[in-house]
Amino acid sequence: MINDEELKDLVNERLEYDPTVSSEYIDVEVEDGIVSLSGEVESRDDRKWIEVLIRQIPEVKDVVNQLTVGYDDSNYGQDTHHNHL
């Protein structure tokens, strides 16, 4: 079993190495295996995809997703380059 600091490193690596995610403005905190995300992403799709990525890590017990969308997302649903889900 890994500790929270190691899990935080795993989460950050997963975000950093996914080419579809801009993790520059994302803060990750881990407590008792629960990952809390805060910061800003570009779209609702990114917000959802990041949570999916992190939930794929077996050691993650839960995800608290407090990410906000950083621009006018009025074209939501029309963006076709993020077909992750």
Side-chain angles (χ1 to χ4, degrees):
M1 186 163 179
I2 66 174
N3 66 35
D4 288 344
E5 194 60 38
E6 291 170 324
L7 183 53
K8 181 178 179 177
D9 289 343
L10 271 177
V11 169
N12 281 319
E13 286 175 19
R14 177 74 55 104
L15 293 175
E16 186 176 329
Y17 291 110
D18 188 297
T20 65
V21 171
S22 174
S23 61
E24 183 177 1
Y25 301 108
I26 299 173
D27 293 315
V28 176
E29 295 299 326
V30 179
E31 186 173 337
D32 297 327
I34 298 171
V35 178
S36 296
L37 303 171
S38 60
E40 194 172 279
V41 293
E42 293 180 1
S43 71
R44 291 179 190 168
D45 283 346
D46 285 353
R47 184 180 188 275
K48 286 185 217 173
W49 177 240
I50 288 166
E51 184 172 338
V52 167
L53 277 178
I54 293 169
R55 286 188 185 278
Q56 292 174 353
I57 300 170
E59 294 84 0
V60 171
K61 292 180 184 174
D62 199 7
V63 176
V64 178
N65 189 342
Q66 298 175 323
L67 295 170
T68 58
V69 177
Y71 74 98
D72 180 6
D73 205 18
S74 60
N75 291 327
Y76 179 69
Q78 297 175 16
D79 185 353
T80 57
H81 76 279
H82 285 292
N83 290 332
H84 302 296
L85 303 177

